[in-house]
Amino acid sequence: DADVTQTPRNRITKTGKRIMLECSQTKGHDRMYWYRQDPGLGLRLIYYSFDVKDINKGEISDGYSVSRQAQAKFSLSLESAIPNQTALYFCATSDPYSGRRDEQFFGPGTRLTVL
Amino acid sequence: ELKVEQNPLFLSMQEGKNYTIYCNYSTTSDRLYWYRQDPGKSLESLFVLLSNGAVKQEGRLMASLDTKARLSTLHITAAVHDLSATYFCAVPPRFGNEKLTFGTGTRLTIIP
């Protein structure tokens, strides 16, 4: 099945460390997104990419950076992790030209803990 | 700026009962999406509502969209334990296929 995968699934790191979260998809979608989820705050958009050359900041991009290495791969980096970046991170994809328009398909998530 | 509000945020209901979750949004949009999330899991697409008056049903869940009122409802009929989850609505801007703004979610617990 075409799918969205994320690695690692769980990660514990220390304050100040650089960490990369990776997302791969086999859906053939051009659009990819990174979200973080905190209890009671829903999902907040960090970065999104409409194609390999088009990357945009979301509502909470400070402290994060991204790289779109190929259509299928979109990585999220925390340059210097801090404890309030402890959260559940989701990658998602979409195909706006499908009949279901903006519907997004989510990966399984990465649980990140920053000590 | 598009804002999406859901209520209630928490809902505990007995099996067999009916209830409705509400999703209000602040600016004009003609599409809305509902997702389900089980604890510790990812989000799963439930309903895609693409026009005013759209109604979709699957099993005990029914979703509708009123774009003039900027309101969507998710109705639960004769609740069963398997429906316990967090439900999110998400709204795109009216023009363009950019990004979804998610509501804060409704945590639904079905008790025997």
Side-chain angles (χ1 to χ4, degrees):
Chain A
D1 277 347
D3 215 346
V4 183
T5 57
Q6 292 182 233
T7 56
R9 295 293 311 280
N10 289 281
R11 181 72 182 265
I12 300 174
T13 191
K14 295 182 179 179
T15 296
K17 294 291 188 181
R18 184 179 189 275
I19 184 168
M20 179 181 288
L21 310 183
E22 298 188 347
C23 177
S24 294
Q25 54 112 348
T26 57
K27 289 186 170 295
H29 292 173
D30 285 331
R31 299 189 174 189
M32 299 185 74
Y33 310 80
W34 275 105
Y35 293 90
R36 68 176 276 175
Q37 185 177 33
D38 299 277
L41 294 177
L43 274 77
R44 293 184 291 167
L45 184 63
I46 306 172
Y47 272 94
Y48 60 106
S49 170
F50 285 174
D51 64 38
V52 174
K53 297 180 180 179
D54 180 26
I55 292 177
N56 306 278
K57 292 182 177 181
E59 59 181 306
I60 55 162
S61 59
D62 287 349
Y64 301 94
S65 62
V66 291
S67 173
R68 184 82 184 265
Q69 301 96 322
Q71 185 204 39
K73 296 184 182 296
F74 192 33
S75 300
L76 176 71
S77 293
L78 287 68
E79 298 302 324
S80 179
I82 56 176
N84 77 0
Q85 291 177 313
T86 293
L88 187 55
Y89 290 83
F90 287 105
C91 175
T93 73
S94 70
D95 176 7
Y97 306 107
S98 76
R100 295 166 77 85
R101 299 288 295 277
D102 329 81
E103 183 185 27
Q104 293 184 12
F105 299 86
F106 285 81
T110 294
R111 186 167 297 280
L112 176 65
T113 303
V114 183
L115 302 176
Chain B
E1 179 187 352
L2 175 59
K3 294 189 184 300
V4 181
E5 294 186 349
Q6 288 182 236
N7 69 83
L9 298 183
F10 299 93
L11 176 57
S12 181
M13 54 189 294
Q14 286 187 316
E15 281 189 328
K17 299 291 188 182
N18 303 334
Y19 210 80
T20 301
I21 298 170
Y22 297 89
C23 174
N24 293 273
Y25 51 98
S26 62
T27 63
T28 303
S29 180
D30 57 4
R31 311 184 295 283
L32 190 139
Y33 302 81
W34 283 98
Y35 289 85
R36 169 183 171 142
Q37 184 182 33
D38 292 309
K41 303 293 185 181
S42 187
L43 279 78
E44 171 190 354
S45 181
L46 277 179
F47 296 112
V48 175
L49 304 170
L50 297 179
S51 61
N52 184 40
V55 178
K56 295 285 182 71
Q57 182 166 5
E58 182 166 336
R60 301 173 187 273
L61 298 177
M62 183 174 70
S64 65
L65 178 60
D66 181 344
T67 59
K68 295 179 181 177
R70 300 176 189 169
L71 171 68
S72 179
T73 60
L74 180 64
H75 187 73
I76 303 147
T77 301
V80 293
H81 179 70
D82 286 352
L83 292 179
S84 295
T86 299
Y87 293 87
F88 293 93
C89 61
V91 183
R94 183 175 186 183
F95 298 109
N97 292 326
E98 294 191 4
K99 52 194 190 300
L100 296 176
T101 299
F102 283 80
T104 50
T106 296
R107 184 182 293 180
L108 174 64
T109 303
I110 310 296
I111 54 178

